[in-house]
Amino acid sequence: MTSYYRRYLRGDREAVWAELRALGPVPDALVEDAAAVADETMIRVAQHVARIAAALPELGWVPADPLVPPHEPPDDDALIDTLTEKIGGLPLALDACLRRVGQVWFAGDCPVLDLTYHSEPAPRSLPPGPEFPDPLCLGNAYSLAYEWEQCEDPADFAFPIAPDELGKANLDGGDHSVALPSDHADPPLLGVAGKPGATLVEYLRDSVRWGGFAGWSLHPDLAPHALITLRADPDF
């Protein structure tokens, strides 16, 4: 059988991920192969994130927090190894995301992208409406370590990898989260408005396809023209 990784490199990306998701728990014999797919996927995600992060200021984007950069690459493999052992296993896509992508924070204000955080007027509807572009935000290994330390019931732990659409607009909300531990390849990303069952890789595809703002995938006809400079067909 041709390896998943070789098929992925040949361009059979969506089918490979669909088959990996269909496995449920990844059998031991396939972990190395599936992990190589996840690693290559997140290398490509990181390239898109870096590209978008560099372009946002040129559009007048102002970060929600001036002390938080739009992208902070990872440097914490040892911590991830420790957390994997403590938690009891990370899904392959999340593990690779923590190792390859790092922290992302595209929340902020940008009139040409219809993006609000501190600016007025604040959104008055609820997600997944067009007032919620859902800027890409991803926590890193240090975020996971903090949340694990705060967890009172390890049997009911979900890593809040990002605020939800409300939180990204500076409103009271919840989280986008991943239930842990998990031995699956691509975990469901819980709490994404309008996309029940979407997995981490699927969500990241939507985000890159819409320039870092996955909310526009639900309202393509209303998407701001300025997104054209950020959008790309996901190659992962």
Side-chain angles (χ1 to χ4, degrees):
M1 181 179 70
T2 303
S3 80
Y4 289 116
Y5 181 60
R6 289 175 183 170
R7 287 174 54 201
Y8 186 89
L9 292 180
R10 290 203 299 261
D12 201 14
R13 298 182 293 267
E14 293 196 27
V16 163
W17 271 113
E19 291 174 31
L20 290 176
R21 283 190 286 271
L23 290 172
V26 180
D28 290 344
L30 297 177
V31 166
E32 183 177 356
D33 190 20
V37 173
D39 189 61
E40 180 64 26
T41 295
M42 295 305 169
I43 288 173
R44 299 180 186 196
V45 171
Q47 292 169 346
H48 285 288
V49 165
R51 171 184 60 79
I52 294 169
L56 281 173
E58 299 175 8
L59 296 175
W61 173 82
V62 177
D65 183 342
L67 298 180
V68 178
H71 182 214
E72 188 172 352
D75 184 20
D76 37 38
D77 277 4
L79 175 58
I80 298 168
D81 292 340
T82 299
L83 289 169
T84 300
E85 183 175 351
K86 286 182 177 180
I87 294 170
L90 303 180
L92 297 177
L94 176 61
D95 181 280
C97 186
L98 295 172
R99 294 179 191 275
R100 293 296 190 176
V101 182
Q103 180 174 280
V104 183
W105 193 260
F106 290 170
D109 296 289
C110 187
V112 301
L113 294 177
D114 293 342
L115 182 65
T116 63
Y117 193 85
H118 294 298
S119 61
E120 297 292 340
R124 297 179 181 179
S125 62
L126 291 173
E131 291 184 293
F132 297 92
D134 192 17
L136 181 61
C137 296
L138 296 170
N140 58 14
Y142 299 103
S143 303
L144 176 56
Y146 173 80
E147 297 295 342
W148 178 251
E149 290 172 1
Q150 302 303 309
C151 175
E152 297 181 356
D153 183 5
D156 187 31
F157 177 59
F159 171 39
I161 194 170
D164 67 4
E165 293 84 353
L166 287 164
K168 294 174 184 181
N170 202 20
L171 300 170
D172 289 337
D175 301 298
H176 292 165
S177 61
V178 177
L180 299 176
S182 171
D183 53 5
H184 289 225
D186 186 20
L189 188 59
L190 308 174
V192 180
K195 299 178 182 179
T199 66
L200 178 58
V201 171
E202 289 173 328
Y203 176 81
L204 291 172
R205 281 201 188 112
D206 274 348
S207 189
V208 166
R209 187 176 287 113
W210 288 94
F213 301 88
W216 291 116
S217 66
L218 298 169
H219 307 281
D221 295 341
L222 300 177
H225 181 72
L227 274 179
I228 196 171
T229 64
L230 304 177
R231 295 181 61 183
D233 288 331
D235 55 355
F236 55 88

